[in-house]
Amino acid sequence: MKAVERIDQFYLLKQLPKATALLCEKGNLLDASISWLELFGLPPHDKNQQTKIFTFYPEVLDLGQKLQENNSFTLQHNLESDNGIRHLKSYFTPWFDKKENVIGTIVQVDDITSEIEKENQIKWLNNVSEIKVEVSKTGWWEYDVETEQLTWCKETKRIHQVPESYQPTALDAVNFFKPGYSQNKVSMLFHKVNVTHQPYDNKLMLITFNGEERWVQITGKPIFKHGKVEKIVGTIKDIHDQEMAETRVKEHQQLLSTLVDSLPLNVYVKDLESRKILVNKGECKYFNKSAEQLIGKNDFDLYSEEIAKVSKEEDLEVIKHLTPIIGKETKSTLNGKTTYFLTSKIPHFDLDGKVCGLIGMSLDITSMKKKEEQLRGLIDITSMQNQKLISFAHIVSHNLRSHSANFSMLLGFLNSEKDLKERHRIIKMLSQASDSLLETLGNLNQVVDINTNTTVKRKPLNLNKNITKVLQNLSALLAQDNSQIVNNVAKNIQVNCVPAYLDSIILNLVSNAVKYKSPNRVPIITLNAVKSKEGVLLSISDNGIGIDLDKYGDKIFGMYKTFHNREDAKGFGLYLVRNQIEAMGGSITVQSEIDKGTTFNVYFNEES
């Protein structure tokens, strides 16, 4: 049998993969593995050269003493090289001979640089995480389902205002929430995440260890292992200041919204494209649309093109030149209804001071406008009434003075006249003067009655029927001159009028047309009527001799004004007609050409 060849133990040492060195009792290097020599950057070991191990551990001052104690120990140290600092861990173990006598030390070294770097990185990440937790005021928690152990981080404990040594339980965690909704909600959420595996994210009210109520944002989700929930982890964030700020903002917004909605104005905000981005209730009511239906719309979507163009130009002027429009009177027509507004538009700026649109406010002044028009009408009527009163007083004074003078003169003649026949003639003249005075007084009384009798009520009357009735009463007069009547008035047209006034108006205008006929042609009298929302326009035209309006136009409706040499012309009929139509809130105009004819246009006001 071949003997087994013995291998030199120092040769085996050199081949060891782990850095290993043998030391004598004095700490000198006896031999080392190639890996150990390479680790410390040493050449192959020379047995004749003594190398002290202490030079490789300069930071360990008591290394010699430790070696003398002949005990195993471990050292962690650093080694500087061209590639940087390497982190090492050396294991020192006594070396025995066959008789169990200590003859030196065995040293083995591990390169733990990657482990140290990982530990440093973990520490750095933990520090960053702690900083993030502190800055974001967000803590974490972990619940072990099997052991029922709950773990809180420092920030979670800070949020609960408990000491760092505090060890919570699941029941404690639930009891920290405000009794009622918050406590019931967190219990239900924790149960669901554990049983139905539903994660959660909610805002709830917490009562801290010091008794403070604070809003927190809590999250939770399950962690599975082998298909079962092993842990439940989550976060808790202190959002109390943010929640209080949001509540105050909401309260302010609600207050502002209530104030804006309560204003008797149409308020809206537009962007740079003139699209509405905010409207109040007044604006919604005007358009009869909800806020959602108005948001995003521009004026072209809501108004006619003509009105929208004007509004768009105003918007651009305000936005471009930053010049507000204050209290401009505008008119808007929507669904056939016209509304008058007092409109203001001012630039709207963002937080950076840049214009981002405009704010508009419109006050409905339609009722004020109508009252203004009514007042203006009343002023016009009062002015006209005053003028009529002055004219009437002048007429009364002039006419009565004429009659009085005539009576005085005739009575003077009668007193001085001795001839009986002549006295009879003067008495006859006095009788005629008396009749004339009575007629004048009757006419004046009729005018006074029209202008003072406010109790006379208007009634809806069929215009065609009333015309037919008057024409029947004038049939003899019309037949005498072969007058032709063309009645184009529709049978369904009604006027709101005093019956006696309507008959008088038609009678006077038709009889005048016959009275002032042309001797050269058959009289033709045409009646037309047009009805609108405002009222009825009745036109009575003839082909008579006409009136010189350039000469008599401002006197044609005056009392006792005549324009033709006719003995039966008294100049009272047209004056009476004007008073009657104006007493009902209407008006009358005339168009005429000499020897061509005349047209009287009577406007019956249905609104007054």
Side-chain angles (χ1 to χ4, degrees):
M1 181 176 178
K2 185 177 179 181
V4 178
E5 184 180 357
R6 296 182 61 85
I7 301 176
D8 184 7
Q9 61 182 354
F10 289 102
Y11 181 74
L12 289 173
L13 176 65
K14 293 181 183 296
Q15 298 181 73
L16 290 177
K18 189 170 184 176
T20 307
L22 293 177
L23 308 179
C24 69
E25 289 181 291
K26 296 181 178 181
N28 294 327
L29 181 66
L30 297 177
D31 208 343
S33 67
I34 296 174
S35 58
W36 192 93
L37 295 173
E38 289 178 348
L39 180 65
F40 288 96
L42 297 176
H45 180 62
D46 185 354
K47 292 182 179 180
N48 298 321
Q49 182 180 359
Q50 290 187 352
T51 302
K52 293 287 186 180
I53 191 69
F54 308 111
T55 58
F56 303 112
Y57 299 90
E59 64 268 67
V60 184
L61 300 178
D62 59 345
L63 181 58
Q65 182 179 348
K66 286 182 175 293
L67 292 176
Q68 291 298 323
E69 292 175 356
N70 296 326
N71 294 321
S72 298
F73 61 93
T74 304
L75 293 177
Q76 190 169 318
H77 54 102
N78 299 329
L79 178 66
E80 293 186 7
S81 66
D82 295 338
N83 296 325
I85 296 177
R86 302 179 73 176
H87 300 278
L88 305 176
K89 192 172 186 178
S90 297
Y91 303 91
F92 293 85
T93 304
W95 178 27
F96 300 93
D97 59 10
K98 293 180 180 180
K99 295 180 179 181
E100 299 295 327
N101 296 317
V102 176
I103 58 175
T105 304
I106 301 172
V107 182
Q108 289 186 315
V109 181
D110 289 335
D111 187 345
I112 59 173
T113 302
S114 61
E115 295 176 12
I116 296 296
E117 287 178 350
K118 287 179 180 179
E119 287 179 3
N120 290 337
Q121 186 175 9
I122 290 172
K123 288 180 181 179
W124 180 81
L125 290 174
N126 287 336
N127 288 334
V128 170
S129 177
E130 286 295 328
I131 292 172
K132 286 183 177 180
V133 164
E134 185 177 352
V135 171
S136 66
K137 296 183 178 180
T138 304
W140 57 265
W141 57 270
E142 181 180 284
Y143 177 76
D144 191 304
V145 175
E146 184 175 351
T147 63
E148 297 185 352
Q149 183 178 356
L150 178 64
T151 305
W152 283 355
C153 73
K154 288 182 180 180
E155 182 63 19
T156 302
K157 292 179 180 181
R158 187 198 67 79
I159 292 172
H160 286 78
Q161 297 179 352
V162 296
E164 288 191 14
S165 59
Y166 183 80
Q167 296 298 324
T169 65
L171 182 60
D172 292 337
V174 171
N175 288 335
F176 266 107
F177 287 87
K178 185 176 181 179
Y181 173 80
S182 294
Q183 200 169 98
N184 294 338
K185 185 70 175 180
V186 75
S187 299
M188 180 187 68
L189 293 173
F190 192 78
H191 174 74
K192 281 187 175 182
V193 75
N194 189 25
V195 176
T196 64
H197 310 155
Q198 293 181 10
Y200 60 85
D201 185 346
N202 286 82
K203 296 178 183 179
L204 296 174
M205 179 70 78
L206 188 78
I207 299 180
T208 68
F209 185 78
N210 296 331
E212 293 184 23
E213 290 187 357
R214 300 193 68 82
W215 282 99
V216 292
Q217 181 96 25
I218 59 170
T219 66
K221 70 174 185 177
I223 302 297
F224 296 94
K225 185 177 182 180
H226 304 307
K228 292 183 178 181
V229 177
E230 179 188 29
K231 294 180 180 181
I232 300 173
V233 298
T235 61
I236 181 169
K237 182 176 182 179
D238 186 342
I239 59 168
H240 188 75
D241 294 340
Q242 174 187 342
E243 195 68 19
M244 290 297 98
E246 289 180 1
T247 300
R248 287 192 293 270
V249 168
K250 289 178 181 178
E251 289 174 351
H252 292 159
Q253 288 177 339
Q254 181 65 30
L255 176 61
L256 181 61
S257 177
T258 302
L259 288 174
V260 171
D261 282 335
S262 300
L263 289 173
L265 299 169
N266 293 9
V267 181
Y268 52 86
V269 180
K270 293 182 178 180
D271 61 15
L272 295 175
E273 300 298 326
S274 289
R275 294 172 298 205
K276 294 183 189 292
I277 58 175
L278 185 146
V279 292
N280 76 334
K281 288 185 178 179
E283 186 77 348
C284 294
K285 184 178 179 181
Y286 174 68
F287 286 101
N288 195 25
K289 295 180 182 293
S290 65
E292 291 75 15
Q293 291 174 310
L294 291 177
I295 297 301
K297 296 291 192 302
N298 58 35
D299 290 330
F300 288 94
D301 299 323
L302 302 170
Y303 294 106
S304 66
E305 185 173 357
E306 180 181 359
I307 295 176
K309 280 184 179 179
V310 174
S311 181
K312 177 73 172 181
E313 290 173 1
E314 290 176 350
D315 293 352
L316 292 176
E317 188 72 17
V318 172
I319 292 172
K320 184 177 180 181
H321 300 290
L322 305 182
T323 304
I325 296 173
I326 306 296
K328 180 181 179 181
E329 188 174 310
T330 57
K331 183 173 72 172
S332 172
T333 302
L334 187 67
N335 300 324
K337 181 182 178 182
T338 300
T339 306
Y340 292 90
F341 290 105
L342 211 57
T343 299
S344 297
K345 295 181 179 181
I346 59 176
H348 176 40
F349 300 95
D350 60 19
L351 295 177
D352 297 325
K354 295 180 180 179
V355 64
C356 59
L358 63 85
I359 301 172
M361 293 166 282
S362 297
L363 174 64
D364 188 344
I365 58 170
T366 305
S367 59
M368 295 171 59
K369 195 75 176 174
K370 287 183 178 179
K371 288 181 179 178
E372 181 184 333
E373 291 174 356
Q374 290 173 358
L375 180 60
R376 190 180 294 111
L378 288 174
I379 292 173
D380 292 341
I381 290 172
T382 303
S383 177
M384 181 182 66
Q385 292 287 4
N386 287 338
Q387 188 62 40
K388 286 170 66 177
L389 180 60
I390 293 170
S391 176
F392 184 74
H394 176 74
I395 291 167
V396 170
S397 175
H398 177 270
N399 288 350
L400 293 183
R401 193 185 310 117
S402 298
H403 287 292
S404 176
N406 190 29
F407 269 108
S408 295
M409 184 179 64
L410 289 173
L411 287 172
F413 289 156
L414 182 62
N415 288 333
S416 62
E417 184 61 53
K418 303 296 183 181
D419 183 25
L420 187 59
K421 183 183 282 189
E422 187 62 24
R423 286 175 67 87
H424 281 299
R425 189 179 68 81
I426 292 172
I427 291 172
K428 185 178 181 179
M429 291 173 64
L430 279 170
S431 179
Q432 291 174 349
S434 176
D435 292 339
S436 179
L437 176 59
L438 287 173
E439 183 180 0
T440 299
L441 290 174
N443 291 339
L444 294 176
N445 184 64
Q446 192 173 2
V447 173
V448 170
D449 184 62
I450 291 171
N451 287 280
T452 59
N453 191 356
T454 58
T455 61
V456 177
K457 301 296 183 181
R458 295 192 295 169
K459 299 178 181 179
L461 303 172
N462 186 286
L463 184 57
N464 186 281
K465 287 183 179 180
N466 277 267
I467 290 172
T468 302
K469 180 179 68 174
V470 173
L471 292 178
Q472 287 175 352
N473 293 336
L474 293 173
S475 59
L477 176 64
L478 297 173
Q480 181 181 345
D481 296 295
N482 296 319
S483 300
Q484 296 182 15
I485 300 295
V486 180
N487 185 5
N488 295 324
V489 178
K491 293 182 179 181
N492 61 342
I493 292 180
Q494 285 190 332
V495 290
N496 201 20
C497 191
V498 178
Y501 291 178
L502 180 58
D503 292 346
S504 175
I505 292 166
I506 299 170
L507 179 67
N508 276 287
L509 294 179
V510 173
S511 59
N512 271 3
V514 176
K515 187 183 298 184
Y516 301 107
K517 66 184 183 301
S518 172
N520 303 321
R521 49 187 174 269
V522 174
I524 301 176
I525 304 169
T526 305
L527 295 92
N528 292 293
V530 178
K531 186 174 180 64
S532 64
K533 290 182 179 179
E534 291 76 19
V536 175
L537 177 63
L538 171 64
S539 298
I540 300 178
S541 305
D542 63 57
N543 62 344
I545 59 177
I547 305 170
D548 188 350
L549 294 181
D550 293 334
K551 187 175 181 180
Y552 304 112
D554 58 340
K555 301 177 182 178
I556 194 167
F557 293 107
M559 182 181 282
Y560 302 133
K561 301 297 183 181
T562 58
F563 316 107
H564 303 96
N565 297 322
R566 285 182 59 96
E567 294 182 359
D568 57 348
K570 298 180 180 180
F572 183 73
L574 291 181
Y575 181 79
L576 182 65
V577 166
R578 187 185 71 170
N579 275 266
Q580 289 171 332
I581 189 65
E582 287 179 353
M584 297 185 294
S587 61
I588 183 169
T589 61
V590 62
Q591 297 169 313
S592 185
E593 289 186 48
I594 296 175
D595 200 35
K596 288 189 177 180
T598 303
T599 299
F600 286 95
N601 295 311
V602 180
Y603 172 69
F604 295 96
N605 187 358
E606 294 295 291
E607 293 184 349
S608 64

